[in-house]
Amino acid sequence: MTTAQHKIGSGFGARSTAEEVLNGIDLSGRLALVTGGYSGLGLETTRALANAGAHVVVPARRPADAEAALAGIPGTEVGELDLADLASVEAFAGRFLGTGRPIDILIASAGIMAAPERRVGPGWESHFAICHLGHHALVNRLWPALKAGGGARVVTVASSGHHSSPMRWDDVQFERGYDRWLAYGQAKTANVLFAVHLDKLGAEHGIRAFSLHPGAILTPLQRHLRPEEMVERGWIDEHGNQADPGFKSPEQGAATQVWAATSPRLDGMGGLYCEDCDVAEIAAEEGEWVGVRPYAIDAGEAERLWKFSAGLTGVSHG
């Protein structure tokens, strides 16, 4: 099988920052939309894009918190959106489309990790619903604005966590026993597969899609983990300080999504999984947690997930 899923020698790496990958790139006149763009990596992504000249729309479940977090960043605006509520997604998209503006960049950065079991909407497992289904509905409802961009990029923030679980077609919603890490892993696999099929559908309209692993970073994403659990994993010491030298800073963690959204090196490409500011290799074997697992970029799996998600959300452009 031939694939473009190989490193391209971007010139950047694990320690590159979002500001560095945007050096020399002028985003003036471009509109970016960043879910989760007021916290953690999303906030650093918003800051970097805005500093490069983009106007950044930040949908937020807590608009007041978002306004406060973005107060010092010019060229940003906040809109109300709850990815766990399809009516909220529809309302946000309707308001945005009503402005008649095209979207040049859409970064799906919002998500949850290792959360306790929770059901949202009609009983959907929360990781799958928030990380994947909400973004599926949002992107499809914003399709006219993405087409109008005349070369839009959609970037989904996945994770090396996708190595822990393929799609669990026999029990997607974890109705027969819950495991928070497998739930997170499946949702991240869904993020990768979503980009694969979105790129297939969007390429003829100039819409290209990418997914990525941002790296390991201490952010509010870990809010569902107990401190002692993170000490046991070697992420922090007993005083709460970062202990793993492999962890990135938030500025470094935001770099790969910013690179995937803006790099001219990716022109004409799409459907690829990236890490450390480059296209990733296909994982050589299980257990390494580096690169992308073949099941996460399988075109048949991607199409199956798209149809499944369209059935659940009632929205599709394929």
Side-chain angles (χ1 to χ4, degrees):
M1 181 182 72
T2 59
T3 176
Q5 189 68 59
H6 296 292
K7 291 183 179 180
I8 61 173
S10 68
F12 298 108
R15 297 302 170 189
S16 299
T17 65
E19 182 180 2
E20 288 169 351
V21 302
L22 282 169
N23 184 37
I25 295 178
D26 183 5
L27 298 179
S28 299
R30 309 286 295 280
L31 186 143
L33 186 150
V34 183
T35 69
Y38 61 105
S39 175
L41 300 188
L43 177 58
E44 293 304 326
T45 298
T46 296
R47 191 192 321 277
L49 294 173
N51 287 343
H55 181 79
V56 187
V57 177
V58 179
R61 186 166 58 89
R62 301 181 301 276
D65 290 355
E67 294 279 8
L70 300 172
I73 306 176
T76 59
E77 68 176 270
V78 174
E80 186 171 358
L81 169 68
D82 182 353
L83 286 166
D85 180 351
L86 291 186
S88 175
V89 174
E90 183 176 9
F92 171 84
R95 290 191 301 271
F96 183 88
L97 293 176
T99 70
R101 294 177 294 175
I103 295 175
D104 301 290
I105 295 167
L106 191 156
I107 300 180
S109 188
I112 58 174
M113 181 178 77
E117 183 172 10
R118 182 164 73 95
R119 301 286 154 178
V120 302
W124 298 334
E125 191 279 314
S126 61
H127 291 85
F128 188 66
I130 294 168
C131 297
H132 170 64
L133 291 175
H135 284 124
H136 174 95
L138 180 66
V139 169
N140 277 282
R141 290 200 177 277
L142 291 175
W143 195 264
L146 291 164
K147 283 175 61 177
R153 286 194 193 172
V154 177
V155 178
T156 58
V157 180
S159 167
S160 64
H162 82 271
H163 285 249
S164 69
S165 179
M167 288 302 304
R168 297 161 41 95
W169 292 117
D170 62 335
D171 188 20
V172 172
Q173 306 294 356
F174 286 83
E175 294 166 328
R176 298 198 298 272
Y178 181 71
D179 182 303
R180 59 184 180 147
W181 286 109
L182 291 181
Y184 175 67
Q186 176 184 244
K188 296 294 103 177
T189 290
N191 288 156
V192 183
L193 290 169
F194 174 72
V196 171
H197 200 67
L198 173 62
D199 189 74
K200 180 179 179 180
L201 296 177
E204 65 178 298
H205 304 293
I207 301 170
R208 305 311 301 259
F210 300 88
S211 62
L212 64 106
H213 168 49
I217 310 101
L218 291 177
T219 72
L221 187 66
Q222 285 92 13
R223 61 186 173 275
H224 295 297
L225 301 182
R226 302 184 314 278
E228 53 267 31
E229 185 176 358
M230 290 192 281
V231 170
E232 184 178 327
R233 289 173 174 267
W235 294 357
I236 61 174
D237 62 24
E238 59 271 22
H239 304 295
N241 300 311
Q242 181 177 311
D244 190 328
F247 272 49
K248 298 181 180 184
S249 69
E251 294 82 4
Q252 293 166 339
T256 302
Q257 57 212 65
V258 170
W259 179 79
T262 63
S263 175
R265 292 291 307 279
L266 294 173
D267 287 349
M269 304 174 75
L272 302 172
Y273 175 88
C274 306
E275 62 187 2
D276 293 339
C277 300
D278 204 337
V279 177
E281 297 288 344
I282 296 175
E285 58 184 78
E286 294 185 29
E288 287 192 350
W289 290 63
V290 175
V292 63
R293 294 289 292 276
Y295 59 67
I297 53 172
D298 181 273
E301 283 285 280
E303 182 174 11
R304 182 179 182 182
L305 174 65
W306 189 277
K307 291 178 178 178
F308 180 74
S309 305
L312 292 178
T313 64
V315 192
S316 175
H317 278 275

